[in-house]
Amino acid sequence: MIREVIYDYDKQLEYINLSREIMDIRKRGEKPLAFIHTYGCQQNVADGERIKGMLEQMGFDFTDTVDDADFILFNTCAVREHAEDRVFGNVGALKTLKRRHPSILIALCGCMMEQEHIANKIYKSFPFVGLVFGTHAIHKFPDMFYHSITGGKRVFERGNDDLAVHEGIPVKRDGSFKAWLSIMYGCDNFCSYCIVPYTRGRERSRRFEDIVAEAKELVANGYKEITLLGQNVNSYGKGLEEKHTFAELIKEIDNIEGDFLIRFMTSHPKDCSKELIDVIAQSKHISKHLHLPFQSGSDRILKEMNRRYDREKYLDIVNYAKEKIEDVSLTSDIIVGFPGETEEDFEQTISLVKEVGFTSLFTFIYSKRVGTPAAEMEDPTTDEEKSRRFTRLLKVQEEIASQRCASMVDSIQRVLVESMNEKKGMLSGRTSGNIIVEFDGSEDLIGSFANVKITKARNWILQGELAQ
Ligand code: 5AD
Ligand code: SF4
């Protein structure tokens, strides 16, 4: 199916101007303030940056506290229950603020809002929330905002049947040298535990030329790290009129002149091609890092998860990457306690972790998501047992990560300097493999690359000194 690419942001200009005028009158010429809080993944952070871009056009400045805000927005995540609970807690706490300042607009957006039972709960239990919109409605934010502040009615805009890619939305980036670049939206994989295909809808890719143009602009504006984002970047290009693969896209971006680093996430082992690994191996700018979530080391559980690869196929890609990319850094996501996971299944996960030797892992205890197939599966394992497995896995990984970091002592690493750790009085940055390095140096180095000689390893953090 061809997914439409639409350049329709012009339609919002009228609402941008109208909203600006209304807020100007309300604030008597003072700039209105927006408080935006984003939960969850980088895709959500990128969405948040687009909403901020539109708010900026509407005349807003930004604040870190809810107390002085005219507009409060929680950009929510639905991937695990814990994230949802935090949103309900934080929104509930705004009730008195809204009572004291009735003109504030409180809004919720993001993945949680695409779930009907959640939107219904907000509608019934949180009457002070004036605007709710899902991930598919972001491009018409000015329209929804305008109607929320003028219509005298609550605006609920949901429904994930919009298959279009909307181009031209302004972006206000949080960082001045690190940028997120969405290359595609949605997911078609339907892993049995995951809510994302239901909240972000069908997979659709941005046009090759639009992505490359944005990457060029970022490099020209001095960005040093560009992270290409998609739920499954390896299937980039599906449904585009002009056929392109992810390997072709990243190669084209790698050819841009300049001093910058390209990262990407997330890869799916079923679609991760050897061609991509060859491109990384021969590239000038692509980080020597592969984030390749395997979720479980047990073939039986992988089948139940609907992951469509097995342990052997996973190890095949990993071994190819190790062979081709010198000193490749591998990271992964793992779910512990998927319904029906036995001790033997879990042992398979531990053995895969040991066999691969990951730099770091993102480990999660399975969280039941309403509407997914896994939510209907028998889950006899107790929470205590799942926590025990989780702790065992962390222990195993700690040992592996510290060995890996220790093996880097005496090497020289090219590091993008990110920040000053005020407490330690040290600069902090990341290697190409995404490992944190701390070292002494001047704050002027923040936002640039530095060569650092590694002198010490502490678990998964490296320490070093500036090399000439
Ligand atoms: N429970 C626990 N972890 C989950 N993830 C996705 N859905 C769930 C769930 N229901 C994890 C997967 C995915 C990462 C982004 O979040 O490991 O790769
Ligand atoms: Fe969820 Fe699987 Fe899609 Fe990742 S690939 S977003 S885990 S359904």
Side-chain angles (χ1 to χ4, degrees), residues 79-80 193-194 293 295 333-335 364-367 369:
V79 93
R80 280 172 293 275
Y193 51 81
C194 187
Q295 314 296 359
D333 295 348
I334 299 179
I335 296 178
F364 309 102
I365 290 185
Y366 169 73
S367 172
R369 306 286 65 211

Side-chain angles (χ1 to χ4, degrees), residues 26-42:
R26 279 196 192 170
K27 297 285 292 179
R28 300 199 178 89
E30 232 178 74
K31 277 200 158 220
L33 295 176
F35 170 92
I36 314 290
H37 188 82
T38 294
Y39 300 83
C41 68
Q42 279 74 17

Side-chain angles (χ1 to χ4, degrees), residues 155-167:
V155 172
F156 276 61
E157 183 79 43
R158 302 178 35 259
N160 57 17
D161 49 358
D162 184 353
L163 274 179
V165 169
H166 296 269
E167 289 291 348

